[in-house]
């Protein structure tokens, strides 16, 4: 046992504390990097040496640089991410739909419908007034323009959803590819003994991004490779990955593998919001709107065809609306050209406006199910309002728990400058002491040399 | 719990955003004055708002209807009052006739009556808002005018009995015109009962005198033939003094059905009972046959007519004028006819006054409904400004505190003491 052991121990310890300071420096440098997980220098004592009957310590070593991360929180964050981004995306789309209807205001469909029916009401008082007849036509035109605007708007939103879905699927494909490549890099790094903490941080970031887009399931194998599946379909591990494409088949927006064989079962993430609103919500609103307009057209024509015009000779069986085709409410062109073709006389006399009275009553007349036309429209608006409101409320709830989880994650993995500075002091002191030790060993050696 | 630096800044940003969102929401609230700007702000309140808005628009329309109705009623009343003024003149002149003997003076009277007749004719053809006041619902031509040979005044329009109604609320209608038939027409009322024990296949009849525009007498005969329980076929005909029909084609029969328990007339040809206009082609006869008040009841048949059909006021005056020109003073019957018309006209002026009152009442009711609806709307939609402003101030205060806090995040750490 010689003085050189002192040198050895001190020298090792200098290296270890310099390394520990290195780790601390890296932590401090990344203190504002939200994706960074703080790292910890794991310092352990060296295996001791048995000399004689005594066991001698041989100093200290830096055994590992650990990434501090709570995988349970990670999983919860991803699960919440899927729900939150789903609701948030719905919120955006439904907000656009809601705006199209411009309710509650005078320029909404209900206001314009009221104005339309009231114009008939007024015409019934002075049936031979051409001004009032033109008012009816103008009100019908306003109604028709608004109906077309809404239908065009819904179509635009749908086509935007299709292109946005394409973009999202592209992002998903890129993320999937990255996960596979990071998996393989991490595996290679592990075999080569390289620190893979930075790679793992990057992989976590990509997986988090993926969980924003779509519902995913992540598990880790013994080599710490992430195995990711989307809606029950395997997408990436260390060796292989799968790509997707989006298609519209029979009016339904679908995500499939390029050969169309596997279809993930979507239930979360922005992609689910896009496909679900495209496939279910918007067609539902369109069907309700079509029902409302068709009902309006049929009931109005039903009355109007019974009426007689004030023209000479008096005409009857004239339709007011040509029909409602492809989202367009068409007014009979004959009526557009000649307001006197509006047929509101029940008995053929020019001053009879009974048909107009009947028409004015259609809006608030109960049908066989006890529902008025106004009710059916109000139901549609309430439906859209409720869908949007529940998306807003749910997204807020998920946002709250997501914030809480992010806080937990930051608590576990975030860098605390105070803590790091304390470590700096601790490591620096240890470094100082080790250096002092070398001086002491040197002095001891000097003393021995001087004796000679 | 371990507090990392990221947590502090994240927490701050989250809470700061919450505060800012609230401030933004409050600012929109105060700026628009509306609690509900989108359906999703409150779907159930939006539903109510849409319903209320529709009601409010409907009330506005009803009010416009009533305005039109009132002005129409006003014009009708004025026209009737003017006619009544002329008729009063005529009646004064007719009563003065007794004191005059000279035929030249009679001619003078004839001129005055002719002038009154023309005035009355003008008033009867007045228009309001493009509609003939007494034209019923037929505005295709003037309601009244001279026949081509100027010998009589005839109804020119196809039908002057049409009622103009306006809707003054969801379920109420208000008549806004006095029909030509009501004011100028002559109505023959069939009254009395048909014996409910009348055998199927038997016929009950009734008859009365009717007159053409020059006062020639004809006979109106109405038959009711029982076809089944509570059901009758009604047929009618008008014959001249030599018992020849004045119809080229016999008028179509009508199927009458009586209510089996009350005995009242329920339907005519499957429709609610309506007066029948009788206008034969071979004589200048034009009147309205009202059979809507007959009943089927136990006991004996007691069908009758309330009165003989009288000549209408135009032709009565025309005949008086012609008589005067011929040097004859009008008959008592002619004078009574004028006075009857006057009474009827006064009745109608009173009825128009009633209608006007009813319209005004309906308007008052609508206005109070509208006030009520506006009150409810503002309670749903309106923002409590004082509350909103207080909340905004509180939020602004919180925001300022947040700013101060932001300034103190991470300013001090162990670093500062080394």
């Amino acid at each position: 046992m010689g003085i050189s052991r002192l040198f050895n121990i001190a020298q090792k310890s200098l290296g270890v504390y310099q390394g520990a300071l290195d780790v601390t420096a890296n932590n401090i440098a990344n203190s504002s990097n939200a994706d960074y997980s703080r790292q910890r220098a794991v310092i352990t004592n060296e295996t001791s040496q048995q000399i004689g009957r005594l066991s001698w310590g041989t100093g200290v070593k830096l055994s590992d640089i650990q990434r501090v991360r709570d995988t349970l929180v990670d999983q919860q964050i991803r699960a919440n991410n899927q729900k939150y981004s789903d609701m948030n995306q719905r919120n955006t789309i439904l907000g656009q739909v809601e705006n199209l209807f411009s309710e509650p205001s005078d320029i909404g469909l209900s206001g314009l419908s009221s104005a339309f029916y009231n114009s008939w009401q007024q015409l019934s008082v002075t049936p031979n007034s051409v001004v009032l007849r033109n008012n009816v036509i103008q009100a019908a035109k306003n109604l028709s323009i608004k109906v077309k605007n809404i239908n065009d708007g819904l179509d635009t939103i749908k086509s935007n959803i299709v292109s946005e879905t394409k973009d999202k699927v592209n992002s998903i494909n890129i993320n999937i590819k990255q996960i596979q490549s990071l998996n393989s890099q991490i595996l290679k790094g592990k075999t080569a003994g390289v620190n893979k903490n930075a790679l793992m941080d990057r992989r976590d970031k990509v997986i988090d991004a993926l969980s924003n887009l779509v519902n995913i399931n992540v598990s880790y194998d013994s080599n710490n490779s992430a195995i990711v599946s989307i809606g029950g379909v395997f997408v990436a591990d260390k060796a292989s990955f799968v790509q997707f494409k989006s298609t519209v088949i029979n009016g339904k927006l679908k995500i499939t593998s390029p050969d169309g064989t596997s279809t993930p079962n979507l239930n979360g993430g922005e992609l689910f919001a896009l496909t679900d609103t495209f496939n279910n919500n918007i067609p539902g609103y369109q069907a309700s709107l079509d029902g409302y307009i068709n009902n309006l057209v049929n009931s109005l024509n039903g009355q109007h065809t019974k009426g007689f015009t004030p023209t000479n000779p008096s005409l009857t069986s004239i339709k007011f609306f040509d029909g409602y085709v492809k989202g367009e409410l068409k007014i009979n062109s004959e009526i557009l050209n000649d307001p006197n073709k509006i047929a509101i006389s029940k008995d053929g006399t020019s001053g009879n406006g009974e048909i107009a009275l009947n028409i004015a009553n259609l809006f608030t007349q109960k049908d066989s199910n006890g529902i008025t036309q106004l009710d059916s429209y109000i139901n549609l608006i309430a439906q859209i309002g409720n869908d949007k409101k529940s998306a807003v409320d749910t997204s807020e709830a998920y946002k709250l728990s997501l914030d809480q989880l992010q806080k937990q994650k930051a608590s576990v993995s975030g860098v605390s400058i105070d803590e790091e500075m304390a470590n700096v002091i601790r490591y620096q002191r240890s470094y100082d002491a080790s250096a002092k030790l070398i001086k002491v060993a040197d002095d001891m050696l000097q003393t021995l040399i001087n004796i000679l | 719990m371990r507090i990392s630096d990221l947590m502090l800044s994240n927490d701050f940003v989250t809470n700061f955003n919450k505060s800012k969102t609230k401030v933004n929401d409050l600012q929109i609230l105060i700026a628009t004055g509306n609690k509900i700007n989108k359906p999703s702000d409150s779907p159930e309140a939006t539903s109510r708002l849409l319903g209320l808005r529709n009601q409010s628009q409907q009330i506005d329309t009803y009010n416009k209807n009533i305005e039109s109705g009132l002005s129409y009623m006003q014009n009708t009343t004025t026209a009737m009052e003017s006619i009544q003024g002329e008729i009063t003149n005529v009646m004064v002149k007719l009563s003065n006739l007794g004191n005059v003997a000279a035929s030249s003076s009679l001619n003078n009277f004839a001129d005055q009556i002719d002038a009154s007749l023309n005035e009355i004719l003008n008033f009867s053809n007045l228009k309001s808002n493009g509609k003939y006041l007494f034209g019923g619902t037929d505005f295709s031509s003037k309601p009244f005018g001279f026949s081509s040979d100027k010998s009589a005044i005839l109804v020119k329009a196809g039908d002057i009995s049409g009622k103009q109604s306006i809707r003054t609320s969801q379920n109420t209608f208000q008549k806004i015109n006095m029909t030509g038939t009501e004011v100028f027409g002559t109505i023959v009322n069939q009254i009395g009962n048909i014996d409910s024990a009348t055998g199927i296949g038997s016929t009950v009849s009734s008859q009365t005198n009717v007159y053409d525009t020059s006062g020639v007498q004809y006979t109106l005969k109405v038959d009711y033939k029982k076809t089944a329980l509570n059901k009758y076929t009604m047929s009618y005909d008008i014959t001249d003094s030599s018992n020849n029909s004045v119809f080229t084609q016999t008028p179509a029969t009508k199927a009458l059905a009586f209510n089996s328990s009350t005995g009242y007339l329920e339907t005519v040809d499957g429709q609610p009972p309506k007066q029948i206009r009788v206008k034969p082609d071979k004589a200048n006869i034009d009147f309205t046959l009202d059979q809507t008040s007959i009943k089927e009841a136990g006991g004996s048949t007691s069908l009758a007519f309330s009165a003989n059909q009288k000549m209408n006021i135009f032709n009565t005056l025309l005949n008086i004028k012609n008589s005067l020109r011929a040097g004859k003073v009008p008959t008592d019957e002619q004078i009574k006819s004028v006075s009857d018309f006057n009474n009827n006209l006064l009745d109608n002026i009173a009825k128009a006054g009633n209608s006007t009152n009813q319209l005004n009442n309906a308007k008052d009711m609508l206005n109070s409904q509208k006030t009520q609806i506006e009150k409810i709307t503002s309670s749903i939609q309106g923002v409590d400004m004082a509350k909103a402003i207080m909340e905004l101030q509180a939020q602004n205060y919180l925001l300022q505190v947040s700013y101060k806090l932001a300034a103190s995040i991470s300013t001090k750490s162990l670093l500062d003491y080394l």
Side-chain angles (χ1 to χ4, degrees):
Chain A
M1 206 177 77
I3 291 175
S4 62
R5 253 179 66 87
L6 269 183
F7 277 109
N8 269 341
I9 292 175
Q11 188 200 342
K12 257 189 234 164
S13 122
L14 275 180
V16 165
Y17 291 113
Q18 196 188 331
L21 273 170
D22 228 48
V23 173
T24 310
N26 191 36
N27 279 341
I28 292 171
N30 280 295
S31 63
S32 295
N33 178 355
D35 297 319
Y36 178 77
S37 319
R38 78 187 156 103
Q39 297 178 6
R40 206 173 53 189
V42 183
I43 297 167
T44 49
N45 40 352
E46 278 280 18
T47 21
S48 50
Q49 257 180 338
Q50 189 75 26
I51 298 172
R53 57 184 181 86
L54 289 179
S55 169
W56 297 88
T58 56
V60 73
K61 69 170 177 189
L62 188 60
S63 58
D64 197 5
I65 299 170
Q66 270 182 356
R67 198 171 73 115
V68 184
R69 187 113 182 170
D70 186 338
T71 47
L72 192 68
V73 174
D74 275 353
Q75 275 176 20
Q76 282 178 302
I77 285 179
R78 280 163 201 161
N80 269 283
N81 239 345
Q82 293 165 17
K83 300 289 172 203
Y84 169 68
S85 55
D86 173 9
M87 288 303 154
N88 205 29
Q89 181 74 57
R90 265 165 213 270
N91 198 348
T92 315
I93 298 170
L94 294 176
Q96 290 168 354
V97 173
E98 189 180 40
N99 283 342
L100 276 181
F101 284 85
S102 354
E103 297 290 359
S105 77
D106 287 337
I107 53 161
L109 206 48
S110 73
L112 293 174
S113 300
S114 282
F116 174 61
Y117 279 114
N118 284 332
S119 70
W120 289 97
Q121 183 84 261
Q122 274 187 274
L123 179 58
S124 76
V125 180
T126 318
N128 56 339
S129 161
V130 175
V131 177
L132 291 181
R133 282 169 183 269
N134 278 325
N135 278 354
V136 169
I137 293 173
Q138 197 49 49
K141 275 185 186 164
N142 289 344
L143 189 67
S144 163
I145 290 169
K146 184 72 196 171
V147 169
K148 188 161 169 25
N149 275 348
I150 293 177
N151 276 311
D152 286 355
L154 287 174
D155 286 343
T156 311
I157 291 174
K158 280 178 86 173
S159 69
N160 285 346
I161 289 179
V162 170
S163 62
E164 208 172 328
T165 305
K166 214 167 240 168
D167 291 346
K168 302 264 180 214
V169 169
N170 272 341
S171 309
I172 289 174
N173 285 340
I174 291 168
N175 284 336
I176 290 173
K177 229 170 169 172
Q178 274 185 346
I179 291 171
Q180 188 272 331
S181 117
L182 286 163
N183 267 340
S184 79
Q185 284 181 52
I186 288 165
L187 187 67
K188 273 185 216 152
K190 195 176 172 175
T191 47
V194 174
N195 187 325
K196 71 280 174 195
N197 284 344
L199 290 173
M200 280 164 67
D201 274 355
R202 269 179 63 193
R203 188 176 66 186
D204 283 339
K205 187 185 173 184
V206 175
I207 292 176
D208 283 351
L210 194 58
S211 74
N212 257 328
L213 294 169
V214 72
N215 51 313
I216 57 167
N217 202 350
V218 187
S219 58
Y220 298 90
D221 68 4
S222 54
N223 289 320
N224 199 14
S225 289
I227 301 164
V228 181
S229 62
I230 294 178
V233 175
F234 162 84
V235 295
D237 63 0
K238 58 181 180 290
S240 59
F241 64 89
V242 172
Q243 300 276 271
F244 291 106
K245 64 165 185 179
S246 64
T247 45
V248 180
I249 305 165
N250 296 332
K252 298 266 176 196
L253 183 58
K254 274 189 176 162
I255 314 299
T256 58
S257 54
D259 58 2
T261 49
S262 53
T263 311
N265 184 16
L266 298 179
N267 61 25
E270 288 173 356
L271 205 60
F272 179 53
L274 290 169
T275 53
D276 194 41
T277 45
F278 184 94
N279 293 337
N280 298 318
N281 293 46
I282 295 179
Y285 304 149
Q286 279 175 321
S288 297
L289 180 65
D290 288 352
Y292 168 65
I293 299 294
N294 277 326
N295 195 3
L296 184 148
V297 169
N298 292 337
S299 61
L300 201 145
N301 278 345
Q303 285 292 336
H304 197 265
T305 46
K306 282 189 216 158
F308 292 88
T309 63
T311 52
N312 193 13
S314 185
L315 305 167
T316 186
S317 296
I318 298 176
K319 282 184 176 178
F320 184 80
F321 287 115
D322 268 345
Y324 175 57
V325 190
K326 287 183 182 161
E328 227 173 312
L329 180 59
K330 282 193 177 143
I331 305 162
N332 189 343
S333 53
E334 277 187 59
I335 288 177
L336 287 177
N337 293 334
D338 179 7
N340 277 328
K341 290 276 167 67
I342 295 178
I344 54 163
S345 171
K346 197 176 180 183
D347 56 8
T349 57
S350 52
N352 183 300
E354 269 183 71
I355 297 289
L357 271 180
N358 291 344
I359 289 175
N361 210 19
L362 291 173
F363 198 37
T364 48
Q365 207 166 43
K366 287 195 166 95
D367 67 3
S368 52
N369 300 323
I371 292 172
T372 66
Q373 289 185 18
L374 178 63
D375 286 343
S376 75
Y377 177 73
I378 289 178
N379 285 346
L380 167 63
I381 292 303
Q383 176 73 49
I384 296 172
N386 271 319
D387 286 353
K388 165 95 195 296
K389 191 174 187 320
S390 90
V392 173
D393 292 349
T394 340
S395 81
E396 265 169 23
Y398 282 118
K399 175 84 181 136
L400 267 180
S401 57
L402 201 55
D403 281 347
Q404 209 54 42
L405 287 163
Q406 296 284 11
K407 203 169 164 179
Q408 280 186 32
K409 182 181 162 189
S411 167
V412 175
S413 304
V415 176
S416 159
I417 300 279
D418 286 342
E419 197 179 286
E420 298 305 328
M421 286 319 292
N423 281 341
V424 166
I425 295 163
R426 193 151 62 94
Y427 297 145
Q428 199 194 352
R429 291 279 181 256
S430 300
Y431 188 89
D432 284 354
S434 302
K436 258 300 191 263
L437 198 58
I438 290 177
K439 181 85 168 71
V440 169
D442 181 41
D443 284 353
M444 284 165 75
L445 211 56
Q446 203 63 50
T447 311
L448 284 183
I449 290 167
N450 287 345
I451 295 170
L452 291 174
Chain B
M1 194 184 197
R2 194 176 164 270
I3 305 293
S4 65
D5 291 75
L6 205 56
M7 280 167 78
L8 290 174
S9 61
N10 277 353
D11 267 0
F12 165 73
V13 171
T14 309
N15 290 321
F16 183 73
N17 271 340
K18 269 187 203 157
S19 260
K20 274 235 144 166
T21 312
K22 269 188 197 152
V23 169
N24 184 37
D25 288 352
L26 282 168
Q27 275 174 352
I28 291 175
L29 216 58
I30 292 168
T32 59
N34 286 341
K35 261 193 281 193
I36 291 150
N37 294 303
K38 297 193 297 299
S40 56
D41 289 342
S42 169
E44 63 278 9
T46 307
S47 303
R48 289 191 65 198
L49 273 183
L50 291 182
L52 288 169
R53 193 181 286 270
N54 178 57
Q55 273 186 38
S56 163
Q57 286 186 345
Q58 256 179 354
I59 287 178
D60 287 347
T61 313
Y62 294 147
N63 261 332
K64 279 184 200 158
N65 288 356
I66 289 177
E67 287 300 332
S68 313
L70 276 175
S71 95
Y72 198 72
M73 218 63 229
Q74 191 61 51
N75 288 332
T76 307
T77 310
T78 313
M80 286 197 293
E81 280 167 356
S82 308
I83 293 170
Q84 206 266 327
E86 286 299 328
I87 289 292
T88 314
N89 279 344
V90 169
M91 282 169 64
V92 170
K93 274 161 209 151
L94 289 181
S95 61
N96 286 345
L97 267 177
N99 311 328
V100 184
S103 64
S104 63
S105 317
L106 288 183
N107 224 352
N108 198 1
F109 273 99
D111 286 346
Q112 289 175 14
I113 289 192
D114 194 30
S116 289
L117 173 61
N118 279 324
E119 276 297 295
I120 293 171
L121 195 57
N122 282 341
F123 287 128
S124 70
N125 284 332
L126 273 184
K127 266 183 175 181
S128 162
N129 200 7
K131 304 188 286 189
Y132 287 107
L133 287 173
F134 302 108
T137 55
D138 187 354
F139 308 139
S140 52
S141 67
K142 278 186 184 181
F144 305 98
F146 278 97
S147 63
S148 48
D149 61 359
K150 305 276 178 197
S151 67
I153 289 171
L154 305 176
V155 175
K156 290 290 190 182
D159 182 8
I160 55 168
S161 68
K163 290 174 182 164
Q164 298 175 25
S165 295
I166 59 167
R167 201 192 290 274
T168 55
S169 79
Q170 185 78 34
N171 297 312
T172 47
F173 290 92
Q174 179 77 47
K175 185 157 97 56
I176 58 157
N177 72 331
M178 303 303 296
T179 67
T181 317
E182 279 173 321
V183 181
F184 300 102
T186 49
I187 298 171
V188 177
N189 276 309
Q190 173 92 74
I191 51 173
N193 301 335
I194 300 176
D195 184 5
S196 53
T198 308
I200 291 173
S202 323
T203 304
V204 289
S205 311
S206 61
Q207 63 178 53
T208 185
N209 294 335
V210 293
Y211 302 89
D212 74 0
T213 48
S214 21
V216 180
Q217 184 179 314
Y218 294 81
T219 307
L220 166 72
K221 188 166 178 251
V222 184
D223 289 340
Y224 299 92
K225 183 180 179 190
K226 189 160 181 175
T227 54
L229 192 64
N230 310 124
K231 290 194 167 48
Y232 294 83
T233 302
M234 184 192 122
S235 56
Y236 63 92
D237 199 2
I238 298 173
T239 49
D240 60 16
S241 51
S242 24
N243 210 16
N244 292 322
S245 173
V246 291
F247 288 100
T248 314
Q249 204 170 8
T250 321
T253 58
K254 309 249 173 214
L256 272 55
F258 293 89
N259 186 296
S260 54
S261 54
T262 62
Y264 285 109
L265 182 61
E266 235 173 18
T267 58
V268 175
D269 288 342
Q271 302 284 329
K274 211 181 148 185
Q275 296 170 337
I276 302 165
R277 184 175 182 200
V278 181
K279 195 182 177 198
D281 48 351
K282 287 201 265 183
N284 262 347
I285 300 175
D286 189 352
F287 67 92
T288 306
L289 176 61
D290 184 346
Q291 85 294 13
T292 55
S293 50
I294 55 172
K295 273 177 80 174
E296 190 192 32
S300 57
T301 296
S302 59
L303 279 182
F305 288 95
S306 62
N308 287 341
Q309 178 252 346
K310 291 193 195 76
M311 212 179 291
N312 68 25
I313 186 68
F314 301 114
N315 292 311
T316 307
L317 290 182
L318 204 61
N319 285 335
I320 290 175
K321 183 196 85 179
N322 290 341
S323 308
L324 287 171
R325 291 244 190 272
K328 284 189 282 183
V329 288
T331 62
D332 285 350
E333 202 179 342
Q334 281 172 328
I335 294 172
K336 186 174 180 298
S337 182
V338 174
S339 121
D340 282 353
F341 173 77
N342 188 36
N343 289 339
N344 185 39
L345 191 60
L346 288 171
D347 269 1
N348 279 325
I349 291 173
K351 277 185 198 161
N354 273 338
S355 291
T356 308
N357 282 343
Q358 277 169 6
L359 284 174
N360 277 325
N361 288 345
K363 196 173 152 188
D364 287 348
M365 204 181 71
L366 286 175
N367 285 340
S368 83
Q369 266 180 19
K370 171 116 187 171
T371 316
Q372 196 59 32
I373 285 173
E374 274 167 358
K375 215 163 141 189
I376 300 170
T377 307
S378 80
S379 80
I380 297 173
Q381 174 80 300
V383 175
D384 183 346
M385 276 299 170
K387 197 174 151 219
I389 289 169
M390 289 307 292
E391 274 177 30
L392 183 65
Q393 269 178 353
Q395 284 300 333
N396 271 332
Y397 175 68
L398 276 180
L399 210 55
Q400 277 177 17
V401 173
S402 293
Y403 283 128
K404 277 262 192 288
L405 198 67
S408 60
I409 283 184
S410 305
T411 47
K412 292 264 185 277
S413 74
L414 190 54
L415 209 53
D416 299 288
Y417 302 96
L418 292 177

